[in-house]
Amino acid sequence: AVVSTQSTWGSESTSCRSQVWDFRNSSSKMSVIEGWFKEKEVMWPGQAFSLKVEKVLHEAKSDYRDILVFDSDSYGRVLVLDGVVQLTERDEFAYQEMIVNLPMLSHPQPRHVLIIGGGDGGVLREVARHPGVETSHHV
């Protein structure tokens, strides 16, 4: 069976243990099948990555991206764009720390910081941890 549902952030989440989200009729490569999300991307031939899904929190198709947000069994909340995992609660800090700390520690006294992008807020969070920063702008 193919089931397509939508939920909003404030509403009750949908359990996905016995349901299938299939986006084959769109340009998306995202799917949750029998409680598992599988990332299989053409950029990495011969390999795939799967996560056990506890609850699908949101799925949508914007003008630019296919979006899936779910709670996983072992990685916490997961953001998937166009079928590719973008970040998870379990390991997002590693990416955010690396992208911030290398330039911040390379500058002798970073006081004013401009962040372009970084929509999830992780970069801003890491910049704020540096005591010498007086202002930061996130656009």
Side-chain angles (χ1 to χ4, degrees):
V2 175
V3 178
S4 179
T5 63
Q6 283 190 318
S7 60
T8 58
W9 286 101
S11 68
E12 185 67 27
S13 301
T14 304
S15 174
C16 62
R17 294 196 186 279
S18 62
Q19 296 178 341
V20 175
W21 278 260
D22 191 337
F23 297 85
R24 283 181 288 209
N25 294 329
S26 71
S27 62
S28 175
K29 297 169 258 175
M30 298 189 305
S31 63
V32 175
I33 300 172
E34 296 179 2
W36 286 85
F37 168 78
K38 183 177 182 181
E39 177 185 276
K40 185 177 174 186
E41 177 59 42
V42 295
M43 292 176 9
W44 306 290
Q47 55 185 322
F49 179 70
S50 296
L51 289 171
K52 185 175 181 187
V53 177
E54 290 297 315
K55 290 183 181 177
V56 173
L57 302 173
H58 182 76
E59 63 97 352
K61 183 172 178 69
S62 76
D63 291 339
Y64 306 101
R65 299 268 189 255
D66 293 318
I67 305 160
L68 176 65
V69 180
F70 64 88
D71 283 336
S72 74
D73 187 49
S74 57
Y75 277 78
R77 187 137 311 151
V78 179
L79 170 65
V80 179
L81 298 177
D82 295 329
V84 179
V85 173
Q86 301 297 305
L87 59 91
T88 72
E89 280 183 313
R90 179 177 173 184
D91 61 5
E92 61 83 24
F93 70 91
Y95 172 78
Q96 311 292 3
E97 288 177 356
M98 186 65 72
I99 208 167
V100 169
N101 290 333
L102 289 176
M104 292 293 287
L105 296 173
S106 296
H107 191 284
Q109 262 188 315
R111 295 185 319 232
H112 308 286
V113 179
L114 172 63
I115 302 165
I116 300 173
D120 66 343
V123 169
L124 180 60
R125 178 194 65 220
E126 294 301 321
V127 165
R129 290 182 176 167
H130 287 262
V133 173
E134 297 170 10
T135 61
S136 59
H137 298 278
H138 185 193
V139 295

